């Protein structure tokens, strides 16, 4: 028997389940179709498990290498990686149970299976009826929604000819499930995910080499951040090869190791390790969901949407990684809320992606909001910048983490903040001040005039803001 809904969401990841919660809050009868577990990639194969491992790596490295600096005598420090994985899974399971509880609280129906959009039928003159192939083998469910949201997410991408086998060559998903740490690893890709893994595995004691195609790591971030990140990770022992074109056809596996060649400055170099992690971006999950039964446009692998997140089929929306752009969990959540508000007729504000904070959870952390210095120059701005080091911040010295800085870029003519870029201790927790400042159209003077408590790491924001006009106190 067919079930009628105001909204059916394909995908129960961060974007999908948040959209479902808002939908239920607004009184809409809502269902989610999810073939895996609620929470999706972020909860089970991405954000949460990787950050749990990063935290364990940080504690291990701090205890092993720096406990004595704090006057703490630990004796021999060892790593129980099975316990690390147990802790990670415990966190994931707790959060998963929480999401399931939220679905029950909101009276949101969850169908465990694969949902496909059907074309016009006896139920509806427009595409949108959802056929659900149930995981438990029961007869397909038929859902008749007034609106559909596609939130099917993405999966790790690889290079042509560089197949993920799970043994020698892994994506981040296989790496998260490792039961033992390798002695050495090659990481293909020095973007955000690659750098997080390089930092984590290095802290765990693994010999790490990063191969990056661009001329610098994390190439989408400000050049000063890239330079500082590479310097600090290199100081900890991570090896880097930039401007490295990996030659997939040269990969060789066997005898407990994997090797590959990369073209660097016109000559080929061979790199060898026990494992290889491929981290070259993600591709949208647009297959096998019935898009061919609609007029929805897919370009370069991503679903095309309006600012309201409507596709070419006005009653079918798409959000999150499946539409490209900033493939971040917090972005997917807000896109889902915006789509639901539009479905309800509430005329939500369009998302300004320049105001979205971006975080890298490596050790050291990095975070940014707005545009980079190079982008600002390309857009014709006359700039003034302020930079302030954590080395002059008392709380950073107390923490024993004084590397890094905060950099603020402002328009010299209007004094508007164009971008804020941070690297150092706990900056992923501090970037929201900069994000709020940009949303409120604040100036460096207004940040500087905000009295930051002492001693805190946040003082670095006030000093960097003062430095924009050459007025920093402690430099």
């Amino acid at each position: 028997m067919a079930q009628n809904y105001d909204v059916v969401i394909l995908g129960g990841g961060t974007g999908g389940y948040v959209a479902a919660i808002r939908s239920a809050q607004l009184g809409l009868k809502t269902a989610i179709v999810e073939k895996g577990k609620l929470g999706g990639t972020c909860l089970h194969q991405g954000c949460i498990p990787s950050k749990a491992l990063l935290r364990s790596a940080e504690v291990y490295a701090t205890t092993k290498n720096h406990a004595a600096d704090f006057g703490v005598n630990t004796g021999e420090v060892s790593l129980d990686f099975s316990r690390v994985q147990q802790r990670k899974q415990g966190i994931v399971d707790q959060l998963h149970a929480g999401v399931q509880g939220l679905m029950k609280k909101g009276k949101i129906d969850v169908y465990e299976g694969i949902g496909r959009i059907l074309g016009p039928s006896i139920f509806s003159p427009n595409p949108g009826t959802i056929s659900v192939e149930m995981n438990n083998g029961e007869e397909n469910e038929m859902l008749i929604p007034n609106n559909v949201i596609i939130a099917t997410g993405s999966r790790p991408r690889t290079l042509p000819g560089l197949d993920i086998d799970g043994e020698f060559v892994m994506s981040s998903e296989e790496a998260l499930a490792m039961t033992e740490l390798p002695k050495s690893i090659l990481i293909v890709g020095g973007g955000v995910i690659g750098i997080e893994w390089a930092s984590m595995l290095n802290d765990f004691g693994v010999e790490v080499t990063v191969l990056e195609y661009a001329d610098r790591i994390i190439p989408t971030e400000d050049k000063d951040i890239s330079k500082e990140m590479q310097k600090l990770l290199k100081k900890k022992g991570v090896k880097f090869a930039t401007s490295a074109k990996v030659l997939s056809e040269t990969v060789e596996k066997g005898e407990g190791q994997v090797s590959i060649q990369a073209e660097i400055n016109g000559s080929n170099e061979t790199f060898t390790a026990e494992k290889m992690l491929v981290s070259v971006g993600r591709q949208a999950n647009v297959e096998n969901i019935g898009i061919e039964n609609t007029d929805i446009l897919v370009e370069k692998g991503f679903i095309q949407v309006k600012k309201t997140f409507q596709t070419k089929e006005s009653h079918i929306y798409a959000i999150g990684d499946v539409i490209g752009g900033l493939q971040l969990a917090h972005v997917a959540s807000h896109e889902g809320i915006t789509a639901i508000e539009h479905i309800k007729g509430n005329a939500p504000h369009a998302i300004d992606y320049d105001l979205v904070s971006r975080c890298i959870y490596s050790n050291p952390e990095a975070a940014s909001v707005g545009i980079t210095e190079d982008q600002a120059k390309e857009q014709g701005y006359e700039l003034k910048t302020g930079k302030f080091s954590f080395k002059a911040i008392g709380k950073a010295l107390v923490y024993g983490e004084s590397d890094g800085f905060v950099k603020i870029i402002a328009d010299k003519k209007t004094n508007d903040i164009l971008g804020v870029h941070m690297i150092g201790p706990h900056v992923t927790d501090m970037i929201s001040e900069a994000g709020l400042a940009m949303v409120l159209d604040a100036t460096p003077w207004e940040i500087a005039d905000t009295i930051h408590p002492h001693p805190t790491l946040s003082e670095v924001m006030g000093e960097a803001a003062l430095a924009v006009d050459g007025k920093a106190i402690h430099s």
Side-chain angles (χ1 to χ4, degrees):
M1 182 178 176
Q3 299 291 325
N4 291 280
Y5 290 95
D6 294 311
V7 180
V8 170
I9 300 166
L10 296 184
T14 309
Y17 85 70
V18 168
I21 291 170
R22 177 51 56 88
S23 181
Q25 288 174 342
L26 294 177
L28 301 174
K29 186 179 180 183
T30 307
I32 286 179
V33 182
E34 170 56 52
K35 68 177 182 179
K37 293 182 177 180
L38 287 172
T41 294
C42 179
L43 177 52
H44 299 282
Q45 293 100 24
C47 319
I48 298 301
S50 65
K51 278 52 180 180
L53 294 184
L54 277 158
R55 175 59 177 156
S56 289
E58 180 186 14
V59 170
Y60 175 63
T62 299
T63 306
K64 183 179 180 180
N65 302 322
H66 302 291
D69 297 342
F70 293 88
V72 178
N73 298 317
T74 59
E76 184 178 354
V77 178
S78 62
L79 180 70
D80 182 349
F81 193 64
S82 64
R83 184 69 188 91
V84 169
Q85 288 285 31
Q86 288 172 17
R87 179 179 184 272
K88 175 204 77 176
Q89 194 58 47
I91 293 169
V92 171
D93 291 345
Q94 181 177 341
L95 291 172
H96 181 224
V99 175
Q100 291 175 312
L102 290 171
M103 296 302 101
K104 292 179 181 178
K105 179 182 177 182
K107 298 180 180 179
I108 298 161
D109 292 337
V110 179
Y111 293 85
E112 297 179 356
I114 298 173
R116 297 183 181 90
I117 302 170
L118 304 180
S121 66
I122 59 172
F123 301 111
S124 173
N126 299 312
T129 299
I130 306 295
S131 173
V132 184
E133 181 183 338
M134 301 297 289
N135 289 344
N136 58 15
E138 293 182 358
E139 183 178 349
N140 285 11
E141 294 280 358
M142 197 71 69
L143 313 182
I144 307 171
N146 294 327
N147 298 277
V148 175
I149 296 180
I150 300 172
T152 48
S154 64
R155 61 188 184 277
R157 189 166 64 87
T158 188
L159 298 174
L162 196 55
D163 297 328
I164 305 297
D165 59 27
E167 181 181 2
F168 292 104
V169 182
M170 305 178 291
S171 72
S172 57
E173 292 184 0
E174 289 79 21
L176 282 168
M178 287 190 295
T179 57
E180 294 181 358
L181 288 168
K183 291 182 179 178
S184 58
I185 193 165
L186 300 174
I187 299 180
V188 178
V192 173
I193 296 175
I195 291 305
E196 288 185 353
W197 276 98
S199 171
M200 175 210 303
L201 293 172
N202 172 261
D203 278 350
F204 275 138
V206 178
E207 183 180 314
V208 178
T209 301
V210 177
L211 308 177
E212 168 55 42
Y213 181 78
D215 61 358
R216 60 188 176 97
I217 62 170
I218 44 175
T220 57
E221 294 300 321
D222 190 87
K223 279 185 176 179
D224 286 348
I225 299 295
S226 296
K227 183 179 178 181
E228 184 77 357
M229 180 69 78
Q230 183 164 335
K231 182 188 80 173
L232 295 176
L233 290 182
K234 189 175 180 180
K235 183 179 178 181
K236 292 169 62 175
V238 178
K239 299 175 183 176
F240 293 95
T242 53
S243 300
K245 180 183 179 182
V246 170
L247 305 174
S248 303
E249 67 277 10
T250 66
V251 66
E252 294 184 5
K253 312 170 191 176
E255 298 183 3
Q257 65 181 26
V258 59
S259 67
I260 199 165
Q261 293 181 23
E263 182 183 330
I264 304 173
N265 297 325
S267 62
N268 292 358
E269 294 185 31
T270 300
F271 298 87
T272 303
E274 285 189 7
K275 303 284 186 182
M276 180 188 297
L277 171 61
V278 181
S279 178
V280 291
R282 300 182 65 85
Q283 64 187 82
N285 294 324
V286 295
E287 305 87 359
N288 201 30
I289 58 174
I291 286 179
E292 66 278 4
N293 298 322
T294 73
D295 289 330
I296 293 173
L297 294 178
V298 178
E299 294 182 3
K300 298 181 179 179
F302 297 104
I303 294 175
Q304 301 301 296
V305 295
K306 302 174 183 178
K307 290 182 178 180
T308 56
F309 303 105
Q310 289 169 290
T311 67
K312 195 173 179 182
E313 302 276 5
S314 61
H315 63 294
I316 302 179
Y317 295 66
I319 62 167
D321 287 9
V322 79
I323 66 173
L326 289 176
Q327 293 181 307
L328 302 170
H330 47 289
V331 170
S333 295
H334 278 268
E335 289 173 345
I337 290 170
T338 301
I340 290 296
E341 293 285 351
H342 187 265
I343 287 170
K344 186 65 175 177
N346 290 343
H349 291 293
I351 294 175
D352 184 345
Y353 291 96
D354 283 340
L355 301 181
V356 174
S357 297
R358 310 177 297 276
C359 297
I360 305 174
Y361 297 87
S362 49
N363 181 15
E365 294 183 349
S368 60
V369 63
I371 58 178
T372 67
E373 184 172 353
D374 283 349
Q375 288 170 333
K377 289 176 180 176
E378 289 168 4
Q379 294 177 27
Y381 288 104
E382 187 178 354
L383 304 179
K384 56 180 181 178
T385 63
K387 185 189 286 188
F388 199 84
S389 171
F390 277 102
K391 293 188 185 303
I393 300 299
K395 187 68 174 290
L397 296 175
V398 168
Y399 267 38
E401 300 177 34
S402 59
D403 287 324
F405 57 83
V406 169
K407 175 182 177 181
I408 298 177
I409 304 165
D411 183 347
K412 196 170 186 178
K413 294 181 180 178
T414 66
N415 213 29
D416 289 337
I417 298 172
L418 302 174
V420 180
H421 307 274
M422 307 178 173
I423 182 169
H426 300 278
V427 296
T428 61
D429 296 310
M430 292 198 295
I431 192 63
S432 291
E433 178 183 355
L436 179 60
M438 292 191 65
V439 167
L440 297 178
D441 203 21
T443 64
W445 175 85
E446 288 168 310
I447 292 177
D449 202 47
T450 301
I451 300 176
H452 293 79
H454 175 76
T456 63
L457 295 174
S458 69
E459 290 177 274
V460 74
M461 269 294 290
E463 290 278 15
L466 285 168
V468 171
D469 293 309
K471 297 179 180 179
I473 299 298
H474 292 95
S475 65

